[in-house]
Amino acid sequence: MKRHYDSDQTRKIIAEKAAQLFSQKGFAGTSISDISKESGFSKGHVYYHFENKEKLFMTIAQDTMRVWGDKWDAISPNYETATAKLYAVAAFVLDNYKTPLLKVLQELMTNPAADPQTLKQLYDLVETPMRAYEAVFQYGIDNGEFVIEDLQTTTFLFGNWLGALCQHIFTMDYDTLHRMFQQSVTIFLGGILKK
């Protein structure tokens, strides 16, 4: 009897096993052979579904950011004011940025041999949180809470401020970093709150 082959399920299993391996061994330390062995599918199956290791990692990273965006979208309505949303999104970034794949992402971004297209896709991952920040700022403008002359620049600055703090997730204790995230919002609000 012929074995039923579910392409979507195969792709999902390969991605899940690859994510575990990347988290444990890093990008360079994980081979397609490792992924094949761990997933139970041939190297041919891995290449058929993902073309190469970088594309496989990109799929995992993009799925992770989609889930991040979905989680934020689900809780954002719980905060009534734009100010409350801004504090909440900063805490959300801190609490949801440190994933097992973060170090792998950083490893790949600093790899001089990485495909330039892959690097562009990695940098494009910031669009998800940037859209969340922009929506909070727009909400504040719409309800008269914020006075912002240039929405794109404000979003860019806020995103980079939080992004700079995120670089310390592995080197600072959580409570100190949490205070810094919250203080950053307080300082930032000083420039945009309607007087």
Side-chain angles (χ1 to χ4, degrees):
M1 184 166 193
K2 191 171 182 179
R3 182 175 147 194
H4 176 70
Y5 177 75
D6 183 338
S7 184
D8 290 338
Q9 185 64 18
T10 300
R11 185 176 171 87
K12 181 180 177 201
I13 291 168
I14 291 169
E16 287 173 354
K17 296 302 182 181
Q20 292 170 1
L21 288 167
F22 286 139
S23 296
Q24 294 166 359
K25 301 170 82 174
F27 185 80
T30 301
S31 69
I32 293 293
S33 293
D34 295 334
I35 296 165
S36 170
K37 181 179 176 187
E38 191 68 25
S39 68
F41 293 98
S42 70
K43 289 195 287 185
H45 276 99
V46 176
Y47 284 118
Y48 172 79
H49 287 284
F50 297 101
E51 190 178 331
N52 61 43
K53 189 169 72 166
E54 285 184 8
K55 290 195 188 304
L56 172 53
F57 181 77
M58 278 311 308
T59 298
I60 295 166
Q62 288 166 338
D63 287 347
T64 299
M65 287 311 295
R66 181 190 45 74
V67 169
W68 187 99
D70 291 347
K71 284 171 66 176
W72 170 251
D73 289 345
I75 66 167
S76 177
N78 296 333
Y79 304 95
E80 291 185 24
T81 67
T83 297
K85 286 180 188 291
L86 207 56
Y87 280 108
V89 78
F92 183 83
V93 167
L94 174 59
D95 292 340
N96 290 276
Y97 189 80
K98 187 176 183 177
T99 70
L101 293 175
L102 179 59
K103 286 188 176 186
V104 181
L105 182 121
Q106 292 169 337
E107 174 191 351
L108 189 53
M109 289 178 86
T110 59
N111 181 348
D115 180 341
Q117 181 62 29
T118 300
L119 293 175
K120 182 191 178 318
Q121 289 176 321
L122 289 171
Y123 284 108
D124 287 348
L125 291 174
V126 302
E127 288 179 23
T128 300
M130 290 300 216
R131 280 193 303 270
Y133 309 148
E134 183 176 27
V136 171
F137 291 129
Q138 187 64 59
Y139 181 75
I141 292 167
D142 293 347
N143 73 16
E145 195 175 342
F146 295 162
V147 176
I148 296 174
E149 291 181 25
D150 184 342
L151 181 60
Q152 286 184 320
T153 298
T154 301
T155 301
F156 179 81
L157 290 171
F158 185 76
N160 278 281
W161 197 339
L162 292 188
L165 286 173
C166 285
Q167 300 308 308
H168 300 283
I169 281 178
F170 293 111
T171 60
M172 294 179 77
D173 70 275
Y174 177 86
D175 291 335
T176 301
L177 204 50
H178 184 268
R179 282 191 303 277
M180 288 183 175
F181 269 76
Q182 296 302 293
Q183 185 177 8
S184 294
V185 173
T186 301
I187 293 167
F188 206 87
L189 283 168
I192 63 173
L193 277 175
K194 188 174 184 180
K195 309 278 188 251

